[in-house]
Every structure is written in structure tokens, then in C-alpha cells.
Amino acid sequence: MRGKDITPENLVRESLQVSSMVSERGLAMRVMNSVRFRAVVESISFEQTTQRFLIAYHPVDKPNEREEIRSERADSNRGQLVRMLWNQSLVGEEVVIFKNNEPDKTGKVAAGFRVAVWVLDNGKPRK
């Protein structure tokens, strides 16, 4: 709260920001609780129907095995961040993908769906 008056309104705002960061659905906690894996990005496309990016990749340790994962929704409250993450020039890059499972709202898929919640660019893959 540096530079702000300590008023009840500012204290409430600050506490709401802190609680949203550590909530289970908050981005920081989702990234922290993610499974991480290294991969080389083969392609990234945007699906209008799902409002998600589709990321095709191969695991670093399995170059002949192609997999796909979707991003979080680009029309969600974190949509601007989702677009910034996946609109980068990541094709051909070695990255670390952080994935979580999102629950299936219909209840048809018990384990939910794999979702890429974050990505770190490691640079070009080793040859």
C-alpha cells in the first residue's frame, strides 16, 4: 500500500487483491499447483468455437510423439493474459508448459480437461 492513504476502502481493496492471488482458482495458485513439462511447440492456432488456443507440441524427451493441449479461455477474466501468452512466437521453441485439469461442467469426463495455464519460453530446442 506504499503511497496510498490507509483508509478502510484501500485496506479492503488490498485484502481482496491478496485473497484473489492465493485463492484456489487464482492464477498464481493454479500455476503453482500445475504439472510442469518441457516441450517443443509445433503450432499454435486459435479456435473460435471454444475461444481457446490449441497448442501442438512434442515432449522434449519424445520428439516423435505429437500431443495437443488447449489454453484457458480467451474470453475469460484472464483473457488478455491468455492472448498475450499464446500469441507469442513460440513455434519451434523449447518451453515449459504448466497444465491443470479443469472440471468438466457436464460431468461426463470425471478427470476433467487438461488446460495449459502458463508457459515459459526456454529458447530454441537443443539439436
Side-chain angles (χ1 to χ4, degrees):
M1 291 191 49
R2 183 174 290 159
K4 294 182 183 178
D5 291 334
I6 299 177
T7 64
E9 180 183 1
N10 285 339
L11 284 171
V12 168
R13 278 194 186 126
E14 193 73 18
S15 67
L16 287 173
Q17 286 180 334
V18 169
S19 66
S20 73
M21 287 190 294
V22 296
S23 77
E24 193 173 303
R25 294 291 303 155
L27 181 59
M29 294 304 286
R30 290 195 70 195
V31 170
M32 193 169 85
N33 294 325
S34 293
V35 172
R36 299 156 183 87
F37 60 92
R38 291 177 36 228
V40 176
V41 177
E42 294 181 1
S43 68
I44 301 174
S45 57
F46 186 72
E47 297 179 320
Q48 283 297 124
T49 54
T50 64
Q51 288 293 299
R52 295 174 187 264
F53 287 87
L54 179 64
I55 302 98
Y57 64 91
H58 66 263
V60 168
D61 58 343
K62 300 175 187 172
N64 297 325
E65 199 172 295
R66 187 175 193 271
E67 298 182 27
E68 294 179 336
I69 192 167
R70 285 178 173 77
S71 70
E72 289 188 288
R73 292 183 61 95
D75 60 353
S76 69
N77 60 347
R78 289 194 286 262
Q80 185 176 3
L81 179 61
V82 170
R83 288 180 186 278
M84 189 260 330
L85 279 174
W86 297 108
N87 275 329
Q88 298 179 68
S89 302
L90 295 173
V91 175
E93 300 285 323
E94 181 181 304
V95 299
V96 177
I97 296 176
F98 295 73
K99 74 170 181 163
N100 281 78
N101 277 12
E102 271 188 6
D104 175 19
K105 292 183 172 113
T106 65
K108 294 179 183 175
V109 182
F113 296 99
R114 298 176 326 132
V115 174
V117 294
W118 197 257
V119 63
L120 291 177
D121 186 357
N122 284 342
K124 293 288 181 192
R126 288 175 283 193
K127 294 186 180 196

